[in-house]
Amino acid sequence: MKTLELLESLHLKQIYGHLPECVNSIHQDSREVTNNSLFICISGHKQDGHDYYHDAINNGANIIVAEKQLEIDFNKSAFILVPDTKRAMAQLINKFHNYPSSQMTLFGVTGTNGKTTVTTLIQKLLQRCGIKSALAGTNGFQVDNKKYYTENTTSDVLTNQALLALSRDQHVRKVVMEVSSHGLAQGRLWGIDYDIAVFTNLSQDHLDYHQTMEAYGYVKGLLFAQLGNDMSKSKYAILNQDDPWSETYKMATSAEVITYGLHKNADFRAFAINYTINETTFTLEYPDPEGRVTIAINLLGEFNVYNTLAALAALYADGNDIKTMIHFLPEISNITGRMEKLVVNAPITMYVDYAHTPDAVEKCIKTVAPFKQKRIILVVGTGGERDREKRPLMAKKASHADVVILTVNDPRTEASDRIIRDMEKGMLHDDYLLISDRKQAIEQAIRISEPGDTIIFAGKGQENYQIIGETKHPHNDALIATEFANSKFQRNTD
Ligand SMILES: CC(=O)N[C@H]1[C@@H](OP(=O)(O)OP(=O)(O)OC[C@H]2O[C@@H](n3ccc(=O)[nH]c3=O)[C@H](O)[C@@H]2O)O[C@H](CO)[C@@H](O)[C@@H]1O[C@H](C)C(=O)N[C@@H](C)C(=O)N[C@H](CCC(=O)O)C(=O)O
Ligand SMILES: Nc1ncnc2c1ncn2[C@@H]1O[C@H](COP(=O)(O)OP(=O)(O)OP(=O)(O)O)[C@@H](O)[C@H]1O
């Protein structure tokens, strides 16, 4: 892109040195810089990009954007001083890609739990209707059947805009994105013009980062405020009527509000819910003269009724025919790693789940309670170097299971023993074991199980690694559990 055209997007700027005619790419990581590119210095949590401008120039950058004066050899690179490099980065990259989000319909889903499930439901239903769509979140960025790895649930500004541009160029019409509180707090979504913003729920998590629930809740509200104030555009906030934070988000937005829930007069309401081991059925009421229908979904538990309502309400806001969406719902088998039933040749029932918050742990136990035959055995962990306060709360909720095995998810550089001892403080009964090695914890749960028992492996979901130290080691709950259960019960029948 022509440099002068690109720089029109920045108003407060001081330019030093000779600008190249064109900019080929924009980077915030000196290690990724290529020839004829622009490097922006970002002060991060751990490091300061201003310390890496020499590396960037050596790698081919010929424009450096910074928020403090730097000593630059103008024979090698031009220099642009701006008041705030993060904001400048959002302006520049949006202009560079010609504002891709305004050329598609954008869904943003935020909340402590349920983001992956709701975004996946929306995207799968759009796909079933033949609408080309993309999905961004914990499992990377997906367009058609192609997956791009992304570091974060909500990517940084540069990655987001690049992937949105790629989607637009591949004629994607709708993009469905998970929006994390970290992403909102760090401005990773600046410049994304959302059309439909969805709130799932808010419960304790990430207090290592946000410090208080008030700060955490407030940050989530930014998504709704960022829908803007332009009434000529159709924008919608989809809010969970049963979560008190929805009142705050209603205040944050001037967009039209569509509510969902079980308990109050929500626009999308579920009642007469029936939980079985294979499916959940409920009656749905929605804003239509004929808007009352009984639905069966393959997803288990009350929380998935909420997730389904959220997805349907969002699709309704987008103008899709709800009858068609309901028709396709039974085709969605499950969401990988979320209350996923494992297929085993054994007289026990096993689920892998991604519950890694106290609320999610409570919900996954509650999910199997209506159809359990004998005991519920729960293997549950938390991660190292993350929210220490939630550890005992996880164990407290885990105590609703008959037998609990406390273990770790990703210890990172923290001692596993300390993590499980922190959790142990919250246990409300004595029927528990501490096994820091996650593989051994899974195997022990199966070893002590008896016919009729239900085991839930919570915390890692579909992930196929465990972060120990700073290295990702291969690990897969489902694989370990299936192999071990098949061999244990095979031996028993031999
Ligand atoms: C604490 C945190 O959120 N950190 C995020 C932040 O990185 P940072 O501020 O630490 O970056 P830094 O390492 O200090 O580097 C500062 C600058 O120097 C640059 N640099 C650095 C080294 C070098 O050699 N050259 C160079 O140019 C870097 O490119 C960067 O521009 O900005 C990066 C880019 O956006 C993120 O990838 C990174 O997420 C880290 C990996 C992370 O683990 N974040 C978690 C907490 C997170 O965001 N999680 C949420 C999901 C939560 C959930 O729902 O469970 C998520 O959205 O993923
Ligand atoms: N609506 C919900 N309410 C409470 N718990 C839920 C809800 N939906 C899912 N869960 C629980 O949270 C776990 C994670 O679900 P999901 O991946 O959809 O959430 P998420 O918000 O995307 O989490 P993350 O961003 O950390 O991946 C599930 O395995 C389940 O235990």
Side-chain angles (χ1 to χ4, degrees):
M1 172 177 248
K2 298 264 186 236
T3 308
L4 290 179
E5 193 189 332
L6 176 67
L7 294 183
E8 280 169 10
S9 61
L10 295 182
H11 294 288
L12 286 174
K13 57 180 182 276
Q14 294 171 48
I15 301 173
Y16 302 87
H18 175 69
L19 288 171
E21 196 181 334
C22 290
V23 173
N24 285 349
S25 53
I26 298 178
H27 305 273
Q28 63 159 323
D29 190 328
S30 57
R31 294 160 292 195
E32 293 169 5
V33 164
T34 49
N35 274 341
N36 294 322
S37 63
L38 180 152
F39 174 71
I40 309 180
C41 306
I42 302 290
S43 307
H45 293 79
K46 288 191 280 194
Q47 309 191 63
D48 187 350
H50 292 85
D51 296 335
Y52 293 99
Y53 72 95
H54 280 302
D55 293 359
I57 293 171
N58 288 339
N59 288 341
N62 51 9
I63 305 179
I64 301 295
V65 179
E67 57 192 26
K68 55 187 177 200
Q69 281 290 355
L70 299 174
E71 276 184 29
I72 287 183
D73 175 354
F74 295 136
N75 290 320
K76 291 185 175 165
S77 172
F79 173 59
I80 302 178
L81 182 67
V82 295
D84 179 339
T85 45
K86 264 194 183 170
R87 261 167 231 283
M89 178 162 71
Q91 301 280 15
L92 289 167
I93 197 68
N94 265 275
K95 175 87 179 177
F96 186 80
H97 289 298
N98 192 21
Y99 308 97
S101 69
S102 59
Q103 298 165 49
M104 297 174 287
T105 302
L106 264 285
F107 294 76
V109 178
T110 200
T112 307
N113 293 309
K115 297 182 293 296
T116 304
T117 308
V118 173
T119 49
T120 307
L121 279 172
I122 295 173
Q123 199 253 354
K124 283 191 172 188
L125 288 170
L126 287 170
Q127 248 178 353
R128 290 285 193 292
C129 295
I131 298 169
K132 190 158 174 169
S133 51
L135 178 66
T138 315
N139 297 326
F141 194 92
Q142 201 180 320
V143 187
D144 287 332
N145 292 326
K146 194 161 167 61
K147 258 195 189 176
Y148 300 83
Y149 168 80
T150 53
E151 170 81 23
N152 293 100
T153 293
T154 298
S155 295
D156 62 273
V157 166
L158 298 182
T159 309
N160 274 332
Q161 292 301 328
L163 291 169
L164 287 173
L166 179 135
S167 305
R168 174 202 54 205
D169 297 345
Q170 293 187 14
H171 311 291
V172 163
R173 287 169 53 202
K174 321 228 175 213
V175 182
V176 194
M177 298 177 75
E178 287 186 50
V179 175
S180 70
S181 56
H182 297 81
L184 285 162
Q186 292 169 25
R188 294 180 205 160
L189 301 147
W190 284 344
I192 299 187
D193 186 19
Y194 284 106
D195 300 286
I196 297 163
V198 182
F199 169 58
T200 58
N201 48 65
L202 196 87
S203 64
Q204 183 163 338
D205 203 9
H206 305 313
L207 293 193
D208 54 326
Y209 189 84
H210 300 291
Q211 307 297 324
T212 63
M213 280 304 287
E214 286 65 35
Y216 177 37
Y218 166 78
V219 159
K220 291 273 186 205
L222 294 178
L223 178 64
F224 300 95
Q226 287 172 11
L227 283 172
N229 220 6
D230 181 354
M231 296 282 175
S232 70
K233 292 180 176 168
S234 301
K235 302 253 180 171
Y236 300 90
I238 312 298
L239 301 178
N240 177 350
Q241 178 101 336
D242 298 337
D243 189 306
W245 276 96
S246 289
E247 283 305 313
T248 309
Y249 303 153
K250 226 179 243 179
M251 270 193 290
T253 185
S254 63
E256 194 168 332
V257 170
I258 298 178
T259 58
Y260 67 91
L262 309 190
H263 302 301
K264 295 187 194 156
N265 286 336
D267 298 314
F268 278 71
R269 189 169 82 91
F271 58 97
I273 307 172
N274 187 33
Y275 305 102
T276 74
I277 194 160
N278 291 320
E279 63 173 25
T280 307
T281 56
F282 61 91
T283 302
L284 168 74
E285 260 180 7
Y286 63 97
D288 184 280
E290 294 171 24
R292 182 187 261 242
V293 61
T294 298
I295 297 185
I297 55 172
N298 296 311
L299 311 180
L300 305 181
E302 185 183 84
F303 66 82
N304 273 320
V305 177
Y306 275 100
N307 292 338
T308 307
L309 291 176
L312 289 176
L315 288 160
Y316 173 83
D318 182 42
N320 298 286
D321 176 37
I322 288 301
K323 282 200 183 87
T324 311
M325 298 296 156
I326 291 168
H327 168 77
F328 287 123
L329 261 181
E331 290 182 15
I332 297 174
S333 50
N334 63 37
I335 313 289
T336 317
R338 275 82 184 156
M339 285 316 286
E340 183 183 351
K341 194 163 162 228
L342 301 181
V343 181
V344 275
N345 195 8
I348 55 172
T349 310
M350 302 196 296
Y351 297 92
V352 164
D353 190 57
Y354 200 41
H356 52 273
T357 66
D359 187 47
V361 168
E362 179 178 2
K363 299 277 162 61
C364 72
I365 300 170
K366 225 170 134 188
T367 295
V368 298
F371 43 79
K372 68 165 189 173
Q373 289 175 30
K374 294 211 172 137
R375 299 175 304 170
I376 299 175
I377 302 172
L378 177 72
V379 176
V380 62
T382 55
E385 290 178 45
R386 294 282 187 276
D387 194 351
R388 216 176 152 186
E389 272 181 48
K390 88 172 171 188
R391 292 176 186 165
L393 303 179
M394 298 278 288
K396 194 171 168 194
K397 298 293 188 188
S399 305
H400 293 298
D402 301 294
V403 182
V404 179
I405 300 183
L406 297 175
T407 186
V408 285
N409 294 348
D410 297 299
R412 301 192 175 82
T413 56
E414 195 174 340
S416 294
D417 274 357
R418 183 169 102 138
I419 301 170
I420 54 179
R421 292 279 172 208
D422 278 351
M423 290 174 79
E424 187 186 13
K425 291 180 190 134
M427 278 307 299
L428 300 179
H429 62 66
D430 293 334
D431 214 343
Y432 68 89
L433 298 168
L434 305 181
I435 304 179
S436 56
D437 182 298
R438 193 169 175 94
K439 180 168 185 279
Q440 283 176 20
I442 293 169
E443 292 178 351
Q444 185 60 11
I446 297 167
R447 211 172 275 122
I448 60 172
S449 70
E450 290 163 10
D453 283 345
T454 300
I455 312 179
I456 305 170
F457 305 104
K460 291 289 288 173
Q462 81 299 345
E463 287 176 351
N464 57 8
Y465 60 84
Q466 199 182 13
I467 307 172
I468 304 173
E470 288 183 350
T471 312
K472 281 186 176 178
H473 297 263
H475 172 100
N476 185 304
D477 279 6
L479 214 63
I480 296 167
T482 317
E483 277 178 15
F484 197 78
N486 281 337
S487 76
K488 169 185 156 147
F489 288 97
Q490 183 62 46
R491 269 199 309 274
N492 289 354
T493 54
D494 281 348

